[in-house]
Amino acid sequence: MAESEIDAIRKLLSSKPRPVGWAERRARLDEVGSNWPVADDVKCVAVDCDGVRGEWSLAPGSDAAKLLLFFHGGGYCSGSILSHRRMVTEAGRAARMRTLAIGYRLAPEHPYPAAHEDAMTAWGFLRKKGFATDRIVVGGDSAGGNLTITLINRLRAAGEKLPACTWLISPWTDLTMSGATLDTKDAVDPIIHKFYLGELADAYVPPSLDRKDPRISPLFADLHGFPPTLIQVGSAETLLSDATRFAAAAGSADVDVTLEVWPHMIHAWPVWNAGLKDGRRALVRAGDFMRDQDRKL
């Protein structure tokens, strides 16, 4: 029987054991995330976002006045612009808009609230550049999904204008790790396991903070007034409950929320879209969602 595309990705991810040190873990995620290069027709340009590292991308035919602001995953301790470059640039192509990927500071060297401060700085940078809020989409995968939600919650709390919509891929919304699928999906998830998440949370969250604090675990936030949201999650990942419970919480708060559960897909599968048809399909769906929100304005 021929090897399926998702099995090939699983083999890539399990080809080496997870390293112990933070530097080695970061290098490994950069390695597997950048297994396929950015398409030749996409232009990427580094930018200093008022002291925060960023990277613009623009695919042919995209509208440079519309923008996807993206925060990478990696448990707040790893991940980078490099590891997620292929996904971000292809998401921009699908949405037909410019992208800005943010290289926020990582724990344990820079625990909470460093990443949140960098996200707010990036948002302020875009506003100073003249981007209209209703032409900005904010998105992220895993911890980047968490950062996306908490950025918008901070903007809501400050009474500021919000982005047009939100795109969340396999979001990590509950750092108390109370989701049932952390146990029921443990055997099929090749990447994310409860002990590993505990290590990440210990590195990211100062001991003085309650991990149920909505600034840490946005699952427990009041979501009334949150912008339209697309959540994409795989059926074969331990963070499935983080996504489904957040969708339920958003729906209960009258948020326009769309939840997609992709059969057999693993954590943040669109990262490997170049070698995975379902990764490309997910990006097309996300692009359609972003453009649809723009048409509603």
Side-chain angles (χ1 to χ4, degrees), residues 198-213:
E199 288 185 320
L200 299 175
D202 287 344
Y204 168 63
V205 184
S208 60
L209 282 179
D210 181 355
R211 292 184 187 180
K212 203 172 181 179
D213 187 318

Side-chain angles (χ1 to χ4, degrees), residues 179-216:
T181 53
L182 284 173
D183 296 317
T184 61
K185 295 291 182 178
D186 184 76
V188 295
D189 191 323
I191 309 174
I192 307 298
H193 304 282
K194 186 180 287 189
F195 180 80
Y196 173 57
L197 286 177
E199 288 185 320
L200 299 175
D202 287 344
Y204 168 63
V205 184
S208 60
L209 282 179
D210 181 355
R211 292 184 187 180
K212 203 172 181 179
D213 187 318
R215 296 171 298 175
I216 302 297

Side-chain angles (χ1 to χ4, degrees), residues 77-142:
C77 296
S78 59
S80 69
I81 292 171
L82 172 62
S83 65
H84 286 64
R85 184 176 281 149
R86 174 79 191 203
M87 179 170 76
V88 175
T89 55
E90 291 304 308
R93 186 197 304 278
R96 299 174 198 163
M97 60 180 63
R98 183 197 298 264
T99 72
L100 177 61
I102 298 299
Y104 55 86
R105 288 171 290 170
L106 300 175
E109 299 92 333
H110 304 285
Y112 175 88
H116 293 245
E117 293 169 349
D118 290 352
M120 285 293 287
T121 298
W123 178 262
F125 169 80
L126 287 177
R127 298 293 287 129
K128 284 189 285 186
K129 284 287 185 181
F131 283 92
T133 57
D134 61 4
R135 292 294 182 267
I136 301 174
V137 178
V138 184
D141 70 295
S142 195

Side-chain angles (χ1 to χ4, degrees), residues 32 45 102 126 147 225 286:
V32 297
V45 178
I102 298 299
L126 287 177
L147 187 54

Side-chain angles (χ1 to χ4, degrees), residues 31-109:
E31 177 188 358
V32 297
S34 61
N35 191 66
W36 283 276
V38 172
D40 292 339
D41 62 347
V42 176
K43 183 179 181 181
C44 297
V45 178
V47 58
D48 180 344
C49 304
D50 293 336
V52 177
R53 291 182 300 111
E55 183 176 87
W56 300 111
S57 86
L58 189 66
S62 297
D63 185 342
K66 300 174 184 176
L67 184 122
L68 167 62
L69 174 64
F70 193 89
F71 301 109
H72 66 77
Y76 282 114
C77 296
S78 59
S80 69
I81 292 171
L82 172 62
S83 65
H84 286 64
R85 184 176 281 149
R86 174 79 191 203
M87 179 170 76
V88 175
T89 55
E90 291 304 308
R93 186 197 304 278
R96 299 174 198 163
M97 60 180 63
R98 183 197 298 264
T99 72
L100 177 61
I102 298 299
Y104 55 86
R105 288 171 290 170
L106 300 175
E109 299 92 333

